[in-house]
Amino acid sequence: MSKPPRLQADQLSKSYTSGPFTIQVLNQVHLSLQPREMVAIVGASGAGKTTLLQVLGTLDQADSGSLTFEGKELSGKSERELAAHRNSNIGFIFQFHHLLPEFTALENIMMPGLIHGMEHGRLEARAQEFLHRIQLDHRSHHRSGELSGGEQQRVALARALIMEPALLLADEPTGNLDSTSGKMVFSLLRELSDAMGLSVIMVTHNLQLARRLDRCLTLADGSLK
Ligand SMILES: Nc1ncnc2c1ncn2[C@@H]1O[C@H](COP(=O)(O)OP(=O)(O)OP(=O)(O)O)[C@@H](O)[C@H]1O
Ligand SMILES: [Mg+2]
């Protein structure tokens, strides 16, 4: 039997109500993502890209539709089960990366492992390796609040990947990066997807980058095209 997709969304819909207005942000979205696949999502500001990533990552709930991860249905699961799913399977890079400014670059990268109770020495070694891969060895003891915007984005990338998730959901991960760092991010993701089967959904306004991924989908009028 063939393997189920890494992530499959069917007829996902979501609206927001604000006073007398209802906005239909997602309207019967369908998406099927395979292991190792890297998909870009583009679309106008306000089209619903962040909302879609939050729903796909179970940080937010759709009003209707189905979402499965490796063949298992996620809608209807308890908040506790969803938190466990996110911890073991998903790495997030948020649009406004949410690093802890008082902690160093190294500590920020280690944070998911600390939450997981990983052994400290092993975790620190792995975090150092990621710092090296994102070319920030020389900034390991800088507080993240003292890093440039692009450096912070690279730290957020390393933090999202340190637990070796099966799925990376990245919201504008290269917005503050120059083209060399943008290419570095792309190469690192491609390498990880080849090596460990990482699947990636990346929201980006960078069309050059979007075209280099396996597929580029546009979110418009609430659905993916
Ligand atoms: N919590 C909320 N309550 C009400 N409306 C919301 C909420 N969050 C988002 N929206 C609305 O939903 C729409 C989609 O927002 P979303 O943040 O998903 O857009 P986006 O495509 O990520 O935009 P950008 O490219 O600017 O980041 C917007 O019109 C926004 O105003
Ligand atoms: Mg957004």
Side-chain angles (χ1 to χ4, degrees):
M1 227 171 70
S2 67
K3 274 192 164 180
R6 173 124 313 145
L7 189 75
Q8 171 131 358
D10 283 300
Q11 304 195 319
L12 282 184
S13 295
K14 182 167 182 72
S15 61
Y16 287 118
T17 301
S18 183
F21 301 104
T22 296
I23 321 169
Q24 190 70 40
V25 182
L26 304 178
N27 189 10
Q28 310 233 330
V29 169
H30 173 81
L31 175 68
S32 186
L33 181 76
Q34 300 303 317
R36 290 192 163 75
E37 200 178 11
M38 292 172 64
V39 172
I41 294 180
V42 300
S45 178
K49 304 178 299 296
T50 295
T51 305
L52 176 61
L53 278 195
Q54 307 265 6
V55 168
L56 295 177
T58 75
L59 288 168
D60 202 348
Q61 260 197 331
D63 302 329
S64 57
S66 133
L67 181 65
T68 62
F69 183 86
E70 293 177 348
K72 293 189 199 80
E73 179 61 55
L74 294 173
S75 36
K77 290 241 190 270
S78 69
E79 193 37 58
R80 201 192 161 114
E81 288 168 313
L82 292 177
H85 157 67
R86 290 192 295 270
N87 278 334
S88 5
N89 299 318
I90 308 183
F92 290 96
I93 303 179
F94 299 100
Q95 189 165 11
F96 306 101
H97 29 73
H98 303 315
L99 296 176
L100 299 168
E102 292 305 311
F103 287 81
T104 66
L106 188 69
E107 288 163 344
N108 268 281
I109 297 174
M110 289 169 66
M111 204 55 74
L114 292 173
I115 293 167
H116 245 257
M118 235 175 109
E119 193 267 312
H120 199 276
R122 208 172 115 234
L123 175 61
E124 186 167 339
R126 204 194 274 189
Q128 290 281 11
E129 189 196 313
F130 269 103
L131 261 177
H132 178 68
R133 293 174 101 154
I134 58 168
Q135 295 165 19
L136 281 180
D137 311 70
H138 57 303
R139 292 282 184 272
S140 67
H141 297 294
H142 264 60
R143 289 188 195 171
S144 70
E146 298 163 354
L147 298 174
S148 76
E151 288 170 343
Q152 292 185 32
Q153 276 193 318
R154 284 185 275 158
V155 170
L157 171 75
R159 181 185 59 181
L161 294 171
I162 190 156
M163 299 310 289
E164 302 188 343
L167 172 64
L168 176 72
L169 298 176
D171 202 347
E172 286 281 359
T174 61
N176 288 309
L177 298 180
D178 59 30
S179 66
T180 312
S181 304
K183 280 183 194 137
M184 185 202 68
V185 167
F186 172 77
S187 314
L188 175 60
L189 292 180
R190 181 56 85 196
E191 194 186 306
L192 292 173
S193 81
D194 289 344
M196 49 183 228
L198 175 74
S199 302
V200 177
I201 301 178
M202 184 191 289
V203 166
T204 182
H205 285 291
N206 180 340
L207 289 180
Q208 231 181 339
L209 175 65
R211 284 196 205 101
R212 294 180 71 183
L213 303 197
D214 301 320
R215 276 192 287 158
C216 178
L217 303 171
T218 303
L219 184 63
D221 302 324
S223 54
L224 288 173
K225 284 153 196 134

